[in-house]
Amino acid sequence: MKKVVVLSGAGISAESGLRTFRDSNGLWENYKVEDVATPEAWARNPDLVLEFYNQRRKQALDAQPNAGHRALKQLEPYFDVTIVTQNVDNLHEKAGSAKVIHLHGELFKSRSTRDPRLVYDIAGWELKKGDHCEKGSQLRPHIVWFGEAVPMMDTAVEIVQQADILIIVGTSMVAYPAAGLIDFARPGIPIYVVDPNVPDIRPRKNLTFIPEPATTGLSRLAEQLIAANATDGV
């Protein structure tokens, strides 16, 4: 079974109503990123950071996967699909995708400020001051903030290196290190880029741009890949 690797970004979540800081000139729901999404912000004002992510979590609880998310799920009977996402929401999981790697953390999880190996699911939407890990330290959002290392990066590199087909959707390809993952794809494999705003990617063999939103572009691409797979199997 061919391996399909998907690199997904904010664009696919935006079509389900979830915004990110890149949508609004450096502001994330009217907050400066440095005030809510950095280790310094957490040290300076943990109450604000907790409230900010509580509101993001509350919003994400009501968000539903769109046709783009569902199209990726539809590939699974025909391909070995792994999604490497920059998004912290759980819309890929809600759509039923079986293998999802979150590069930048997960909104519905918390982790210990003393021991980053201690990660917990968040029931509902609220993480509060005084919520402690088993070692007695305050829990923080399980998010990779600006200025922090990306612990899943090595895993993502290995996954991309194994891809037979690479799909890039909803990302501007300017945020590193995630934007560099395309360079780990094996030479010559088909690469599909689905985004209405075509990102600036170095030309390479078998690179196809689909200048559409995820909802339409991924749906059409999934149909094409499934049809081609059926033909190859004859």
Side-chain angles (χ1 to χ4, degrees), residues 4-234:
V4 171
V5 176
V6 182
L7 306 180
S8 75
I12 191 170
S13 292
E15 292 187 65
S16 289
L18 297 181
R19 298 178 63 190
T20 75
F21 77 97
R22 292 190 183 279
D23 296 324
S24 48
N25 298 321
L27 296 178
W28 193 354
E29 297 290 344
N30 298 316
Y31 289 93
K32 292 182 179 179
V33 171
E34 56 266 29
D35 290 338
V36 293
T38 65
E40 293 79 12
W42 174 251
R44 184 172 58 245
N45 193 344
D47 290 316
L48 175 63
V49 174
L50 287 171
E51 176 60 18
F52 174 80
Y53 283 100
N54 283 342
Q55 293 306 314
R56 305 288 74 70
R57 213 172 286 116
K58 193 174 185 180
Q59 183 186 53
L61 275 176
D62 296 329
Q64 296 300 317
N66 58 54
H69 297 101
R70 294 192 294 271
L72 296 178
K73 168 61 179 175
Q74 290 166 4
L75 290 173
E76 289 190 2
Y78 310 95
F79 300 94
D80 179 2
V81 181
T82 302
I83 298 171
V84 178
T85 185
Q86 298 176 67
N87 302 330
V88 298
D89 59 67
N90 60 354
L91 291 175
H92 286 298
E93 288 89 345
K94 280 186 178 180
S97 290
K99 293 193 287 187
V100 184
I101 303 296
H102 287 268
L103 279 181
H104 296 157
E106 297 182 62
L107 190 57
F108 288 94
K109 292 185 178 181
S110 65
R111 77 168 182 262
S112 168
T113 51
R114 179 178 298 174
D115 185 347
R117 296 170 298 179
L118 297 177
V119 178
Y120 307 88
D121 291 329
I122 296 175
W125 59 271
E126 198 169 18
L127 181 63
K128 296 178 289 188
K129 198 81 169 286
D131 289 343
H132 291 160
C133 75
E134 61 205 64
K135 294 185 177 180
S137 70
Q138 173 66 39
L139 292 173
R140 57 161 276 182
H142 185 48
I143 302 293
V144 177
W145 286 326
F146 290 90
E148 294 185 322
V150 182
M152 295 303 295
M153 193 64 192
D154 288 345
T155 300
V157 167
E158 291 178 9
I159 290 168
V160 172
Q161 287 173 331
Q162 297 169 12
D164 298 305
I165 299 170
L166 182 64
I167 300 172
I168 300 170
V169 56
T171 174
S172 58
M173 297 294 286
V174 297
Y176 283 84
L181 284 171
I182 188 174
D183 295 324
F184 292 95
R186 288 182 290 117
I189 69 165
I191 299 176
Y192 300 92
V193 180
V194 182
D195 199 295
N197 302 307
V198 177
D200 185 14
I201 296 176
R202 177 174 55 83
R204 63 194 72 204
K205 185 179 179 182
N206 292 336
L207 175 63
T208 302
F209 290 105
I210 302 174
E212 297 181 39
T215 45
T216 58
L218 279 182
S219 298
R220 185 174 297 114
L221 176 59
E223 291 177 1
Q224 293 173 357
L225 292 177
I226 290 169
N229 186 67
T231 302
D232 292 343
V234 172

